[in-house]
Amino acid sequence: MDNTNPQGQESSNRICRLFGIRYPIVQGGMVWCSGWRLASAVSNSGGLGLIGAGSLHPENLRHHIRQCKAATDRPFGVNIPLLYPQMQEIIDIIFEEAVKIVFTSAGSPKTWTPLLQSNGVKVAHVVSSSLFARKCEDAGVDAIVAEGFEAGGHNGREETTTLCLVPQVREATSLPLLAAGGIGSGAAMLAALDLGAEGVQIGTRFALAAESSASEAFKQRCLGMAEGDTKLLLKKIGPTRLATNGFSRKVQEAEDRGASAEELREIVGKGRAKKGIFEGEIENGMLEIGQVASQARRIEPVSEIMAGILDEYNRLASRKQPVFA
Amino acid sequence: MDNTNPQGQESSNRICRLFGIRYPIVQGGMVWCSGWRLASAVSNSGGLGLIGAGSLHPENLRHHIRQCKAATDRPFGVNIPLLYPQMQEIIDIIFEEAVKIVFTSAGSPKTWTPLLQSNGVKVAHVVSSSLFARKCEDAGVDAIVAEGFEAGGHNGREETTTLCLVPQVREATSLPLLAAGGIGSGAAMLAALDLGAEGVQIGTRFALAAESSASEAFKQRCLGMAEGDTKLLLKKIGPTRLATNGFSRKVQEAEDRGASAEELREIVGKGRAKKGIFEGEIENGMLEIGQVASQARRIEPVSEIMAGILDEYNRLASRKQPVFA
């Protein structure tokens, strides 16, 4: 585990210290993208990789954790949407496999945080408002991810953008803070730190990495996107950012004519995200991806994505912006 | 006109040079907020004030321009939504009153830019996509404002946030670039510059300034807002960000049941923004304001808002972010 800077001193960055990582870059846990290959690649590059439990059956999660341990000796974690139906089983596996970092989302941080922490697990929780950030602090979580409107997949109801959200969460809590949503470059990472974050969580860029388990067809579709080619849809059942395709147009058309939550649930049906992301059904599947996809150019290995972001960040952080006197 | 830095040298910032201003901070032109009092106060504080023509009858615009000239010897401009019904009259007044800076929005920059420029007017155009930024460059405008989803009032259809939009517009054009939407602090200004902007356009903070012509009731309502208290509504007739109130709930309810554009136009009716912003009908008026309103604390004079933003910006720009080696 390398959580020291080149001089061998402990990092002054709280995110790096908390998770024992070299760079304050966390790979977001994403359904059908972030198995052990992606997570271990990010951890091996000095960031924090997360296995996304949301699209894994419990025993499959155990398999991914074991593969990840074999593939890296650096820290990695598991992302658990707290609405997962078999939570107790998942938690048992986290303990049995001695996972030391868990990111939770989509539920109350109070329910599982104490149990996880009493078993030596560091807990970060994803929020979309400073109201929930304060609830996280009350629940005793170790870190917070503030995720804005531009993020892919499941999203907050308030529609607050990362630019507006991060300063408000920073003011609401003193916890170590990661910014998420719309971050896929060193410039955006620097902007996030200027706004008060201490690190970033990056989803979309890593969803399109070579090591992502998303299908080639999904990656190519997302890489060909223009600005405005994602939309926050399904607000009546749970806001979700999707790339435009036949399925999203069907949802949009239904929403435009006032379709009920029940009807929308029927249109979505079962396994729609798996179809779109994992199986590459580009027209009829659900394509969860963030706005920042239109900035991505090609499928790259994680090591190159990390190096590119860090090089740009370091270059911009070293170049002083003008002072206006 | 003071467009030099304290050493008397010309500014190295292209926005400052272009408009002859000291700080690259432009006050957004806003209906019912930005008359001559607000515009001249911003210009007198070293930024660029804009009289918002959108809510002024032509002869009233002439009155505001003359009052503004009397109140400041610094550069100021006029913001013109190009869908304005009496465009030719407005343009005639711009020339007759020798206004030297015009910001245009909501229409094609090709129609009026050449005529304005041939009469010595500098033209900036507001866009919400890099596609339109390229059209601006083709039209020969002098500067671009890239305005993101979090901005108040009329808004783009693509819903691209400032964090995602600014780097894409920066890449699409070499023109002087202002970032807008979600910017109300020095930290956000620094973030915008890190993303590639050379200055910022600020609406919401100035809409709530002492010199804004918005009603006291409107300002107090906006200052009491929490995160999530604005929403992008009216997407079928022209996306507009509004503060939550009785009127916005009526619109939301209509949209949820699939109301047509025609029905929405009927619900909005005539003079709804004037009612909400200028006359202070807080429940039944239309309250155009940006997400960043929830960061504002109190009604302040423009000079204090400007000083606060610049102090924070300069402090943060002088403090180096860590480099991650």
Side-chain angles (χ1 to χ4, degrees):
Chain A
M1 185 187 308
D2 180 2
N3 60 337
T4 56
N5 66 22
Q7 285 77 43
Q9 292 155 343
E10 197 172 47
S11 171
S12 64
N13 178 283
R14 291 199 296 171
I15 297 293
C16 290
R17 279 210 308 278
L18 178 63
F19 299 125
I21 54 179
R22 186 158 187 156
Y23 309 120
I25 298 177
V26 175
Q27 160 249 312
M30 299 167 288
V31 291
W32 307 112
C33 295
S34 54
W36 69 268
R37 276 193 187 82
L38 183 60
S40 61
V42 172
S43 291
N44 281 332
S45 295
L48 181 68
L50 298 181
I51 296 168
S55 51
L56 296 172
H57 287 289
E59 281 311 312
N60 203 8
L61 172 62
R62 190 192 301 276
H63 166 75
H64 276 270
I65 293 169
R66 291 186 176 175
Q67 293 289 106
C68 202
K69 280 186 206 165
T72 184
D73 55 2
R74 310 269 186 105
F76 69 92
V78 173
N79 176 279
I80 311 176
L82 294 177
L83 304 173
Y84 195 98
Q86 297 133 303
M87 269 305 292
Q88 188 59 60
E89 266 183 83
I90 293 285
I91 297 288
D92 290 345
I93 290 170
I94 295 292
F95 294 156
E96 288 159 19
E97 299 297 328
V99 171
K100 291 297 168 212
I101 298 168
V102 165
F103 278 52
T104 55
S105 58
S108 167
K110 281 195 183 157
T111 322
W112 297 99
T113 298
L115 179 66
L116 285 162
Q117 288 176 330
S118 67
N119 282 267
V121 178
K122 300 287 182 201
V123 179
H125 193 75
V126 184
V127 302
S128 57
S129 72
S130 55
L131 182 71
F132 268 84
R134 281 188 291 270
K135 287 186 187 179
C136 283
E137 191 147 18
D138 294 345
V141 307
D142 299 287
I144 288 178
V145 183
E147 186 175 77
F149 170 81
E150 47 271 81
H154 291 276
N155 209 299
R157 293 200 175 276
E158 303 85 358
E159 305 192 1
T160 308
T161 70
T162 302
L163 177 61
C164 289
L165 179 64
V166 171
Q168 301 231 186
V169 172
R170 175 68 300 160
E171 195 177 285
T173 154
S174 57
L175 287 170
L177 173 61
L178 291 151
I183 299 167
S185 67
M189 178 172 163
L190 181 58
L193 266 61
D194 285 336
L195 295 169
E198 295 155 87
V200 293
Q201 179 179 289
I202 293 177
T204 292
R205 277 298 298 280
F206 288 129
L208 307 179
E211 294 90 340
S212 155
S213 55
S215 61
E216 175 83 12
F218 171 80
K219 293 178 193 174
Q220 292 299 351
R221 165 69 186 106
C222 292
L223 290 166
M225 276 173 29
E227 280 167 53
D229 272 356
T230 71
K231 199 93 194 239
L232 194 69
L233 294 169
L234 299 169
K235 294 185 190 178
K236 284 179 187 167
I237 58 178
T240 311
R241 180 167 300 284
L242 301 176
T244 306
N245 66 356
F247 168 73
S248 82
R249 277 187 292 269
K250 199 170 162 184
V251 170
Q252 178 84 69
E253 178 271 325
E255 293 187 337
D256 283 349
R257 61 174 162 74
S260 66
E262 198 174 41
E263 193 189 335
L264 289 170
R265 265 188 217 100
E266 241 168 71
I267 291 172
V268 173
K270 291 270 174 219
R272 185 73 67 170
K274 183 180 186 185
K275 245 182 219 165
I277 303 171
F278 196 66
E279 294 167 0
E281 275 200 39
I282 291 312
E283 267 309 293
N284 297 315
M286 189 150 94
L287 310 179
E288 300 187 17
I289 200 76
Q291 282 191 353
V292 82
S294 58
Q295 290 174 30
R297 296 285 174 273
R298 57 188 185 284
I299 299 176
E300 291 169 286
V302 162
S303 59
E304 283 177 26
I305 293 174
M306 286 287 287
I309 291 170
L310 284 160
D311 285 354
E312 185 178 90
Y313 169 88
N314 284 334
R315 184 170 54 77
L316 295 176
S318 307
R319 167 211 72 174
K320 263 196 177 167
Q321 289 286 4
V323 164
F324 297 102
Chain B
M1 182 188 306
D2 180 3
N3 61 337
T4 56
N5 67 22
Q7 286 76 44
Q9 293 156 339
E10 197 172 48
S11 171
S12 64
N13 179 283
R14 292 199 295 172
I15 297 294
C16 291
R17 279 210 310 277
L18 178 64
F19 298 125
I21 54 178
R22 186 159 187 155
Y23 309 119
I25 298 177
V26 175
Q27 159 249 313
M30 299 168 287
V31 290
W32 305 112
C33 295
S34 53
W36 70 268
R37 276 192 187 83
L38 182 60
S40 61
V42 172
S43 291
N44 281 331
S45 294
L48 180 69
L50 297 182
I51 296 169
S55 52
L56 296 172
H57 287 291
E59 282 310 311
N60 203 8
L61 172 62
R62 191 193 300 275
H63 166 75
H64 277 270
I65 292 169
R66 291 184 176 175
Q67 292 290 108
C68 201
K69 280 185 204 164
T72 184
D73 55 1
R74 310 268 186 107
F76 69 93
V78 173
N79 176 280
I80 312 175
L82 294 178
L83 303 173
Y84 196 97
Q86 298 133 300
M87 268 304 293
Q88 187 60 60
E89 268 184 81
I90 293 286
I91 296 289
D92 289 345
I93 290 170
I94 295 293
F95 294 157
E96 287 158 22
E97 299 298 327
V99 171
K100 290 298 169 211
I101 298 169
V102 165
F103 277 53
T104 56
S105 58
S108 166
K110 281 193 181 158
T111 321
W112 297 98
T113 299
L115 179 66
L116 285 162
Q117 288 176 331
S118 67
N119 282 268
V121 178
K122 300 287 183 202
V123 179
H125 192 76
V126 184
V127 302
S128 58
S129 72
S130 55
L131 182 70
F132 269 83
R134 280 187 292 268
K135 287 185 185 180
C136 284
E137 191 147 17
D138 292 346
V141 307
D142 298 289
I144 288 178
V145 183
E147 185 175 79
F149 169 82
E150 45 272 81
H154 291 276
N155 209 300
R157 293 199 176 276
E158 303 83 359
E159 305 192 2
T160 308
T161 70
T162 302
L163 176 60
C164 290
L165 180 64
V166 172
Q168 301 231 185
V169 172
R170 176 68 301 162
E171 197 176 284
T173 154
S174 56
L175 287 170
L177 174 61
L178 292 150
I183 299 168
S185 67
M189 178 172 162
L190 181 58
L193 267 60
D194 285 336
L195 294 169
E198 294 154 88
V200 294
Q201 179 178 289
I202 294 177
T204 292
R205 277 299 295 281
F206 289 128
L208 308 178
E211 294 90 339
S212 155
S213 55
S215 61
E216 175 83 12
F218 171 79
K219 293 177 192 174
Q220 292 300 350
R221 164 70 186 106
C222 291
L223 290 166
M225 278 173 28
E227 279 167 54
D229 272 357
T230 71
K231 199 92 194 239
L232 193 69
L233 294 169
L234 299 169
K235 294 186 191 180
K236 283 179 187 168
I237 58 178
T240 312
R241 180 168 299 284
L242 301 175
T244 306
N245 67 355
F247 167 72
S248 82
R249 277 187 292 271
K250 200 170 159 184
V251 170
Q252 178 84 69
E253 178 270 326
E255 293 186 337
D256 284 349
R257 61 175 162 74
S260 66
E262 198 174 41
E263 193 187 338
L264 290 170
R265 265 189 216 100
E266 243 169 68
I267 292 173
V268 173
K270 291 270 175 219
R272 185 73 68 169
K274 182 181 186 184
K275 245 182 220 165
I277 303 171
F278 196 66
E279 295 168 359
E281 276 200 39
I282 291 311
E283 268 308 293
N284 297 315
M286 190 151 94
L287 310 178
E288 301 187 16
I289 200 77
Q291 283 192 353
V292 82
S294 58
Q295 291 173 30
R297 298 284 174 272
R298 57 190 186 282
I299 299 176
E300 291 169 285
V302 162
S303 59
E304 283 176 27
I305 293 174
M306 286 286 287
I309 290 170
L310 283 160
D311 285 354
E312 185 178 90
Y313 170 88
N314 283 334
R315 184 171 53 76
L316 294 176
S318 308
R319 166 211 71 173
K320 264 197 175 165
Q321 289 287 4
V323 163
F324 297 102

